[in-house]
Amino acid sequence: MGRSKAGKPRRRRPDKLPDNIQIRETRRGEGQAFTELAALAMEGHGDFDDREPMCEAIDAEGPFTTQFGTGRFVFLVAEHTPTARIVGVSSSIPPLSVLGGMERDGADPVTLGATAMAYAKLRALAVADDYRRQGIASALITRAMAIHREHRAFFMYGQFTAEDTALARFYRRHGFTIHAPGEPVILPGGSRYRDVGASPLPGEQMFSRPI
Protein backbone atom coordinates (compact mmCIF):
# COMPACT_ATOMS: atom_id res chain seq x y z
CA MET A 1 0.00 0.00 0.00
CA GLY A 2 1.37 3.46 -0.89
CA ARG A 3 1.82 6.31 1.54
CA SER A 4 0.65 9.91 1.48
CA LYS A 5 2.96 12.89 1.87
CA ALA A 6 2.15 12.90 5.57
CA GLY A 7 3.45 9.35 5.84
CA LYS A 8 0.06 7.74 6.41
CA PRO A 9 -1.00 4.74 4.31
CA ARG A 10 -3.14 5.73 1.34
CA ARG A 11 -6.56 4.20 1.18
CA ARG A 12 -7.11 1.97 -1.82
CA ARG A 13 -9.85 3.31 -4.11
CA PRO A 14 -13.08 1.39 -3.33
CA ASP A 15 -13.48 0.24 -6.94
CA LYS A 16 -9.83 -0.71 -7.54
CA LEU A 17 -9.57 -4.47 -7.56
CA PRO A 18 -6.70 -6.06 -5.57
CA ASP A 19 -3.95 -7.50 -7.76
CA ASN A 20 -4.56 -11.03 -6.46
CA ILE A 21 -8.24 -11.09 -7.54
CA GLN A 22 -9.17 -12.19 -11.07
CA ILE A 23 -12.64 -11.74 -12.60
CA ARG A 24 -13.47 -14.41 -15.18
CA GLU A 25 -16.27 -16.61 -16.50
CA THR A 26 -16.93 -19.90 -14.74
CA ARG A 27 -15.23 -23.16 -15.64
CA ARG A 28 -16.42 -26.76 -15.68
CA GLY A 29 -16.59 -28.20 -12.17
CA GLU A 30 -17.23 -24.88 -10.40
CA GLY A 31 -21.01 -25.25 -10.22
CA GLN A 32 -21.22 -26.22 -6.56
CA ALA A 33 -18.81 -23.54 -5.34
CA PHE A 34 -20.64 -20.97 -7.46
CA THR A 35 -24.14 -21.84 -6.24
CA GLU A 36 -23.07 -22.08 -2.60
CA LEU A 37 -21.87 -18.49 -2.72
CA ALA A 38 -24.80 -17.35 -4.88
CA ALA A 39 -27.14 -18.72 -2.20
CA LEU A 40 -25.97 -15.90 0.09
CA ALA A 41 -27.44 -13.36 -2.30
CA MET A 42 -30.71 -15.28 -2.52
CA GLU A 43 -31.45 -15.32 1.22
CA GLY A 44 -34.81 -13.70 1.87
CA HIS A 45 -35.83 -13.86 -1.81
CA GLY A 46 -37.92 -17.01 -1.77
CA ASP A 47 -36.64 -20.46 -2.61
CA PHE A 48 -33.44 -20.67 -4.62
CA ASP A 49 -35.29 -23.05 -6.93
CA ASP A 50 -32.86 -22.81 -9.84
CA ARG A 51 -29.78 -23.74 -7.82
CA GLU A 52 -29.50 -27.25 -9.27
CA PRO A 53 -30.06 -26.21 -12.93
CA MET A 54 -27.57 -23.37 -12.44
CA CYS A 55 -24.98 -25.81 -11.07
CA GLU A 56 -25.57 -28.22 -13.95
CA ALA A 57 -25.37 -25.45 -16.55
CA ILE A 58 -22.03 -24.24 -15.19
CA ASP A 59 -20.60 -27.74 -15.09
CA ALA A 60 -21.76 -28.27 -18.68
CA GLU A 61 -19.43 -25.38 -19.56
CA GLY A 62 -21.56 -23.08 -21.77
CA PRO A 63 -22.00 -20.91 -23.72
CA PHE A 64 -25.47 -20.59 -22.25
CA THR A 65 -28.41 -19.21 -24.20
CA THR A 66 -32.18 -19.35 -23.83
CA GLN A 67 -34.58 -21.67 -25.60
CA PHE A 68 -35.30 -18.72 -27.89
CA GLY A 69 -31.75 -18.86 -29.26
CA THR A 70 -30.76 -15.41 -28.01
CA GLY A 71 -30.13 -13.82 -24.66
CA ARG A 72 -27.07 -14.93 -22.74
CA PHE A 73 -26.61 -16.36 -19.25
CA VAL A 74 -23.42 -14.90 -17.77
CA PHE A 75 -21.83 -16.65 -14.78
CA LEU A 76 -18.77 -14.79 -13.44
CA VAL A 77 -16.47 -15.53 -10.55
CA ALA A 78 -13.90 -13.55 -8.62
CA GLU A 79 -10.96 -15.86 -7.97
CA HIS A 80 -8.32 -15.27 -5.29
CA THR A 81 -5.44 -16.34 -7.51
CA PRO A 82 -2.91 -17.43 -4.85
CA THR A 83 -5.38 -19.99 -3.44
CA ALA A 84 -7.70 -20.52 -6.46
CA ARG A 85 -10.61 -19.82 -4.08
CA ILE A 86 -13.83 -18.42 -5.53
CA VAL A 87 -14.59 -15.39 -3.36
CA GLY A 88 -17.30 -13.68 -5.41
CA VAL A 89 -19.93 -14.56 -8.00
CA SER A 90 -22.46 -12.90 -10.26
CA SER A 91 -25.25 -14.46 -12.27
CA SER A 92 -27.05 -12.42 -14.91
CA ILE A 93 -29.68 -13.93 -17.16
CA PRO A 94 -32.31 -13.12 -19.77
CA PRO A 95 -35.70 -12.00 -18.35
CA LEU A 96 -37.11 -15.51 -18.07
CA SER A 97 -40.26 -14.68 -16.08
CA VAL A 98 -41.10 -11.86 -18.51
CA LEU A 99 -40.52 -14.17 -21.48
CA GLY A 100 -42.72 -16.85 -19.92
CA GLY A 101 -45.57 -14.38 -19.54
CA MET A 102 -45.15 -13.14 -23.09
CA GLU A 103 -45.16 -16.69 -24.43
CA ARG A 104 -48.38 -17.47 -22.55
CA ASP A 105 -49.90 -14.34 -24.07
CA GLY A 106 -49.09 -15.62 -27.55
CA ALA A 107 -46.03 -13.52 -28.46
CA ASP A 108 -44.44 -14.62 -31.73
CA PRO A 109 -40.96 -16.21 -31.83
CA VAL A 110 -39.29 -13.13 -33.33
CA THR A 111 -40.59 -10.91 -30.53
CA LEU A 112 -39.58 -13.44 -27.89
CA GLY A 113 -36.09 -13.73 -29.34
CA ALA A 114 -35.63 -9.96 -29.52
CA THR A 115 -36.83 -9.56 -25.94
CA ALA A 116 -34.51 -12.32 -24.70
CA MET A 117 -31.56 -10.55 -26.28
CA ALA A 118 -32.45 -6.99 -25.23
CA TYR A 119 -32.58 -7.35 -21.44
CA ALA A 120 -30.41 -8.83 -18.71
CA LYS A 121 -31.54 -9.54 -15.17
CA LEU A 122 -28.94 -9.53 -12.39
CA ARG A 123 -30.00 -12.73 -10.66
CA ALA A 124 -27.34 -12.97 -7.94
CA LEU A 125 -24.31 -10.96 -6.81
CA ALA A 126 -22.39 -12.16 -3.77
CA VAL A 127 -18.95 -11.77 -2.19
CA ALA A 128 -17.55 -13.90 0.64
CA ASP A 129 -17.66 -12.10 3.98
CA ASP A 130 -13.88 -11.91 4.37
CA TYR A 131 -13.40 -10.36 0.91
CA ARG A 132 -15.98 -7.58 1.02
CA ARG A 133 -15.20 -3.86 0.64
CA GLN A 134 -12.41 -4.59 -1.85
CA GLY A 135 -14.21 -3.58 -5.07
CA ILE A 136 -15.05 -7.17 -6.03
CA ALA A 137 -18.81 -6.69 -6.39
CA SER A 138 -18.19 -3.57 -8.47
CA ALA A 139 -15.81 -5.44 -10.76
CA LEU A 140 -18.27 -8.32 -11.18
CA ILE A 141 -21.24 -6.14 -12.12
CA THR A 142 -19.13 -3.98 -14.43
CA ARG A 143 -17.82 -7.04 -16.30
CA ALA A 144 -21.32 -8.55 -16.49
CA MET A 145 -22.75 -5.40 -18.05
CA ALA A 146 -19.92 -5.29 -20.58
CA ILE A 147 -20.51 -8.90 -21.67
CA HIS A 148 -24.25 -8.40 -22.06
CA ARG A 149 -23.61 -5.21 -24.02
CA GLU A 150 -21.30 -7.15 -26.37
CA HIS A 151 -24.19 -9.56 -26.96
CA ARG A 152 -26.52 -6.66 -27.84
CA ALA A 153 -28.43 -6.30 -24.58
CA PHE A 154 -29.15 -2.69 -23.72
CA PHE A 155 -30.92 -2.75 -20.34
CA MET A 156 -30.24 -4.44 -16.99
CA TYR A 157 -32.47 -4.76 -13.96
CA GLY A 158 -32.82 -6.70 -10.74
CA GLN A 159 -34.35 -6.62 -7.29
CA PHE A 160 -33.26 -6.54 -3.67
CA THR A 161 -34.79 -6.52 -0.20
CA ALA A 162 -36.83 -3.34 0.24
CA GLU A 163 -35.16 -0.54 2.18
CA ASP A 164 -31.74 -2.21 2.26
CA THR A 165 -29.95 1.13 2.24
CA ALA A 166 -26.47 -0.34 1.69
CA LEU A 167 -27.54 -2.15 -1.48
CA ALA A 168 -29.49 0.88 -2.67
CA ARG A 169 -26.32 2.99 -2.33
CA PHE A 170 -24.27 0.35 -4.15
CA TYR A 171 -26.58 0.10 -7.15
CA ARG A 172 -27.12 3.85 -7.30
CA ARG A 173 -23.35 4.34 -7.34
CA HIS A 174 -23.24 2.10 -10.40
CA GLY A 175 -25.77 4.18 -12.30
CA PHE A 176 -28.95 2.26 -11.49
CA THR A 177 -32.29 3.88 -10.79
CA ILE A 178 -33.73 2.61 -7.51
CA HIS A 179 -37.47 2.06 -7.75
CA ALA A 180 -39.89 2.39 -4.84
CA PRO A 181 -40.72 -0.77 -2.86
CA GLY A 182 -43.24 -2.85 -4.83
CA GLU A 183 -42.95 -0.68 -7.96
CA PRO A 184 -42.48 -2.60 -11.22
CA VAL A 185 -39.77 -1.67 -13.69
CA ILE A 186 -40.70 -1.01 -17.30
CA LEU A 187 -38.35 -2.63 -19.78
CA PRO A 188 -38.31 -0.23 -22.74
CA GLY A 189 -39.30 -1.69 -26.08
CA GLY A 190 -38.00 -1.19 -29.58
CA SER A 191 -39.04 -1.61 -33.19
CA ARG A 192 -39.48 -5.40 -32.81
CA TYR A 193 -40.89 -5.61 -29.28
CA ARG A 194 -43.10 -3.58 -26.98
CA ASP A 195 -42.49 -2.23 -23.50
CA VAL A 196 -42.91 -4.95 -20.89
CA GLY A 197 -43.05 -4.83 -17.10
CA ALA A 198 -41.15 -6.79 -14.46
CA SER A 199 -42.53 -6.80 -10.92
CA PRO A 200 -40.71 -7.43 -7.63
CA LEU A 201 -41.74 -10.02 -5.09
CA PRO A 202 -43.45 -8.76 -1.91
CA GLY A 203 -40.96 -6.94 0.29
CA GLU A 204 -38.58 -6.17 -2.58
CA GLN A 205 -37.73 -3.23 -4.78
CA MET A 206 -36.26 -3.02 -8.26
CA PHE A 207 -33.19 -1.35 -9.73
CA SER A 208 -32.58 -0.72 -13.43
CA ARG A 209 -30.40 1.11 -15.94
CA PRO A 210 -29.51 1.21 -19.63
CA ILE A 211 -26.22 -0.55 -20.35
Side-chain angles (χ1 to χ4, degrees), residues 1-4 7-11:
M1 181 180 291
R3 291 185 173 271
S4 67
K8 297 180 180 179
R10 291 195 188 101
R11 288 186 177 181

Side-chain angles (χ1 to χ4, degrees), residues 90-144:
S90 75
S91 167
S92 44
I93 66 176
L96 299 182
S97 60
V98 170
L99 290 164
M102 293 173 64
E103 189 174 36
R104 288 190 296 272
D105 290 341
D108 64 85
V110 172
T111 299
L112 289 168
T115 302
M117 181 174 63
Y119 311 116
K121 179 179 181 180
L122 188 63
R123 174 74 171 125
L125 178 66
V127 177
D129 288 344
D130 49 338
Y131 283 85
R132 292 181 178 176
R133 304 185 69 82
Q134 297 185 45
I136 293 173
S138 294
L140 285 165
I141 196 171
T142 299
R143 178 72 65 84

Side-chain angles (χ1 to χ4, degrees), residues 2-208:
R3 291 185 173 271
S4 67
K5 292 181 179 179
K8 297 180 180 179
R10 291 195 188 101
R11 288 186 177 181
R12 185 182 53 79
R13 288 201 344 258
D15 290 336
K16 182 175 172 55
L17 200 62
D19 293 337
N20 60 6
I21 300 294
Q22 172 190 359
I23 305 298
R24 59 171 175 79
E25 293 196 57
T26 53
R27 297 172 182 157
R28 186 188 299 271
E30 293 179 337
Q32 182 174 349
F34 185 99
T35 54
E36 285 178 355
L37 197 48
L40 295 177
M42 304 308 297
E43 291 178 359
H45 295 273
D47 294 333
F48 187 7
D49 55 4
D50 56 351
R51 179 171 180 167
E52 185 173 339
M54 183 184 290
C55 182
E56 291 176 353
I58 290 169
D59 287 340
E61 204 172 29
F64 320 108
T65 56
T66 71
Q67 61 180 309
F68 307 105
T70 56
R72 187 171 175 83
F73 293 77
V74 177
F75 302 118
L76 298 177
V77 300
E79 178 189 2
H80 180 246
T81 52
T83 62
R85 178 187 171 192
I86 293 175
V87 299
V89 299
S90 75
S91 167
S92 44
I93 66 176
L96 299 182
S97 60
V98 170
L99 290 164
M102 293 173 64
E103 189 174 36
R104 288 190 296 272
D105 290 341
D108 64 85
V110 172
T111 299
L112 289 168
T115 302
M117 181 174 63
Y119 311 116
K121 179 179 181 180
L122 188 63
R123 174 74 171 125
L125 178 66
V127 177
D129 288 344
D130 49 338
Y131 283 85
R132 292 181 178 176
R133 304 185 69 82
Q134 297 185 45
I136 293 173
S138 294
L140 285 165
I141 196 171
T142 299
R143 178 72 65 84
M145 286 192 290
I147 293 172
H148 283 292
R149 202 161 46 236
E150 289 170 4
H151 288 84
R152 300 175 63 187
F154 70 86
F155 197 83
M156 178 175 275
Y157 72 101
Q159 57 215 67
F160 64 97
T161 301
E163 300 178 357
D164 185 326
T165 55
L167 277 179
R169 283 195 303 270
F170 172 82
Y171 289 120
R172 191 175 286 115
R173 183 159 56 88
H174 289 280
F176 287 89
T177 296
I178 306 301
H179 300 265
E183 177 188 358
V185 61
I186 302 301
L187 309 182
S191 59
R192 292 190 295 172
Y193 42 87
R194 58 182 173 81
D195 291 359
V196 290
S199 298
L201 295 172
E204 294 185 337
Q205 60 191 111
M206 311 290 288
F207 56 92
S208 66

